[in-house]
Amino acid sequence: MAEKELTIDFEALLKDVNADFPVYQALDENGKIINENLVPDLSDEELVELMTSMVWSRVLDQRSTALNRQGRLGFFAPTAGQEASQLASHFAFEKEDVLLPGYRDVPQLIKHGLPLAEAFLWSRGHVAGNNYPADLQALPPQIIIGAQYVQAAGVALGLKKRNSKNVVFTYTGDGGSSQGDFYEAINFAGAYHANAVFYIQNNGFAISTPREKQSAAKTLAQKSVAAGIPGIQVDGMDPLAVYYVSKKAREWAANGNGPVLIETLTYRYGPHTLSGDDPTRYRSKEMDDEWTKKDPLVRFRKYLTEKGLWSEEQEEKVIEATKEEIKQAITDADRVPKQKVSDFLKNMYEVQPQNIKEQIEFYEAKESK
């Protein structure tokens, strides 16, 4: 008797996996609550503080762009459009939690405790931009795509071994989720139930490569399945939902349950970096216009104004105060002595071989003239 052929419905299997990752959203584009269950328990003062941070970040983006074009700032990756994804997520963590940022995550790093002048020095490639205060629980922004994920897994395991209730939180973009480091990190952290929250800030493009060409997965959050950890997708332009999901993820990780992967659906209004990228070559005006309607600042502004917590006058005060803060910080950065070739050589070697000593003497003689 012939064996009965086993029928496997692969399409149904795929459909089941894809169905498990809805987009969590609390606030619609008009600033109206559409899901009361996702509204976080934040006081009026905390809501205003979060909005202030988001406005501050937008001004920092604008002024940093201008400073870069003036030749007063070095490397810069624009952040406009990602304020909710970045600042509302950071708002859910504690000062003692450890932040491992990517190069676009400088706003969170500053809010975590890095002086703004040092952030500007980091942008210029100055070693002083990496001399962090002793109480700053963070590492410098990682330039290698996704490498901060591997570092985060290691730090998180260290916290786990110390029975710490603090967590590591780290960010990468949609392009970073295509890197080998990404899976290695979430798999390692998941295997050891390490204290970590991993963010994929899905802004639609890895430089110019669109999200749909990076992975056949319907969501990036579902990549968590392979590592055996929870994955969740949230509207990254909605500060209330981002905060709520982040807070719950932090609690889960801090209580020893292992890591969480969060995909925030967001958008960057500017180029990938100011180092030559032209987004008009790969993004349409229609796409930009559609995401402009979802602007996290506009959405949150409408919500807070309706509650009587925000006004145009308040926002103007924040804008002017931020401009003054930036002006002072760039002045402070300008006062730091410029680096010398001899300094690079001294910093590179703890014990200098004879040929390096000779080079140091050579350059010191030239620099003293």
Side-chain angles (χ1 to χ4, degrees), residues 276-292:
D277 177 49
D278 178 7
T280 64
R281 298 181 64 182
Y282 55 86
R283 290 193 327 213
S284 66
K285 183 179 184 302
E286 290 74 23
M287 179 181 289
D288 285 344
D289 290 345
E290 188 62 32
W291 279 97
T292 297

Side-chain angles (χ1 to χ4, degrees), residues 177-198:
S177 71
S178 300
Q179 295 290 102
D181 286 357
F182 167 85
Y183 176 72
E184 291 166 8
I186 63 173
N187 186 66
F188 181 92
Y192 288 97
H193 292 83
N195 309 12
V197 179
F198 297 99

Side-chain angles (χ1 to χ4, degrees), residues 146-186:
Q148 64 273 24
Y149 259 50
V150 174
Q151 293 172 323
V155 176
L157 179 59
L159 293 177
K160 177 80 173 181
K161 285 182 172 291
R162 295 174 188 171
N163 297 314
S164 173
K165 285 293 185 180
N166 287 109
V167 304
V168 176
F169 60 115
T170 186
Y171 301 81
T172 193
D174 44 294
S177 71
S178 300
Q179 295 290 102
D181 286 357
F182 167 85
Y183 176 72
E184 291 166 8
I186 63 173

Side-chain angles (χ1 to χ4, degrees), residues 331-344:
T331 299
D332 292 342
D334 287 342
R335 292 194 180 111
V336 175
K338 293 183 178 179
Q339 299 179 106
K340 302 173 183 177
V341 174
S342 59
D343 292 331
F344 295 144

Side-chain angles (χ1 to χ4, degrees), residues 27-33 298-300 302-304 306:
L27 204 59
D28 69 11
E29 295 173 17
N30 297 311
K32 302 296 183 183
I33 297 297
V298 173
R299 186 183 300 196
F300 205 30
K302 290 178 179 178
Y303 174 71
L304 294 183
E306 183 70 22

Side-chain angles (χ1 to χ4, degrees), residues 305-320:
T305 301
E306 183 70 22
K307 291 173 68 70
L309 298 176
W310 197 255
S311 66
E312 186 177 338
E313 292 74 21
Q314 281 175 273
E315 189 157 332
E316 282 301 318
K317 288 181 180 178
V318 174
I319 291 171
E320 291 307 313

Side-chain angles (χ1 to χ4, degrees), residues 36-319:
E36 288 285 351
N37 294 328
L38 292 177
V39 177
D41 185 20
L42 290 171
S43 67
D44 290 349
E45 291 76 15
E46 288 172 323
L47 289 170
V48 170
E49 182 182 353
L50 177 54
M51 179 62 177
T52 299
S53 294
M54 290 171 59
V55 173
W56 168 87
S57 185
R58 181 65 62 90
V59 177
L60 179 62
D61 174 87
Q62 294 167 347
R63 295 302 302 146
S64 295
T65 298
L67 289 166
N68 174 276
R69 289 170 177 166
Q70 294 167 12
R72 302 185 69 192
L73 204 62
F75 176 85
F76 180 67
T79 59
Q82 296 190 204
E83 292 86 359
S85 178
Q86 295 179 314
L87 277 305
S89 60
H90 178 268
F91 204 65
F93 293 87
E94 298 179 1
K95 183 177 175 61
E96 292 75 22
D97 293 331
V98 185
L99 168 61
L100 276 77
Y103 53 77
R104 201 181 307 280
D105 303 307
V106 176
Q108 302 99 295
L109 190 54
I110 297 168
K111 287 300 178 182
H112 210 56
L114 181 69
L116 181 54
E118 291 190 23
F120 287 151
L121 288 169
W122 174 83
S123 171
R124 294 175 176 180
H126 200 295
V127 67
N130 298 298
N131 294 336
Y132 282 12
D135 63 344
L136 176 54
Q137 298 298 308
L139 291 181
Q142 180 59 261
I143 295 294
I144 302 170
I145 306 299
Q148 64 273 24
Y149 259 50
V150 174
Q151 293 172 323
V155 176
L157 179 59
L159 293 177
K160 177 80 173 181
K161 285 182 172 291
R162 295 174 188 171
N163 297 314
S164 173
K165 285 293 185 180
N166 287 109
V167 304
V168 176
F169 60 115
T170 186
Y171 301 81
T172 193
D174 44 294
S177 71
S178 300
Q179 295 290 102
D181 286 357
F182 167 85
Y183 176 72
E184 291 166 8
I186 63 173
N187 186 66
F188 181 92
Y192 288 97
H193 292 83
N195 309 12
V197 179
F198 297 99
Y199 287 92
I200 304 172
Q201 297 191 95
N202 179 3
N203 62 27
F205 293 87
I207 306 182
S208 59
T209 304
R211 151 70 180 89
E212 59 269 18
K213 290 187 177 181
Q214 298 176 48
S215 174
K218 184 178 179 181
T219 72
L220 300 179
Q222 70 197 66
K223 294 191 175 188
S224 62
V225 175
I229 66 175
I232 188 169
Q233 192 177 47
V234 62
D235 181 351
M237 310 295 269
D238 175 359
L240 295 184
V242 171
Y243 173 83
Y244 184 88
V245 168
S246 298
K247 192 71 173 177
K248 292 299 181 181
R250 187 201 175 278
E251 292 172 2
W252 171 270
N255 287 327
N257 297 304
V260 177
L261 179 67
I262 301 174
E263 177 187 2
T264 63
L265 298 176
T266 186
Y267 198 72
R268 55 170 166 83
Y269 293 140
H272 174 68
T273 70
L274 298 186
S275 302
D277 177 49
D278 178 7
T280 64
R281 298 181 64 182
Y282 55 86
R283 290 193 327 213
S284 66
K285 183 179 184 302
E286 290 74 23
M287 179 181 289
D288 285 344
D289 290 345
E290 188 62 32
W291 279 97
T292 297
K293 297 175 184 176
K294 303 176 182 180
D295 191 318
L297 265 64
V298 173
R299 186 183 300 196
F300 205 30
R301 183 186 298 125
K302 290 178 179 178
Y303 174 71
L304 294 183
T305 301
E306 183 70 22
K307 291 173 68 70
L309 298 176
W310 197 255
S311 66
E312 186 177 338
E313 292 74 21
Q314 281 175 273
E315 189 157 332
E316 282 301 318
K317 288 181 180 178
V318 174
I319 291 171

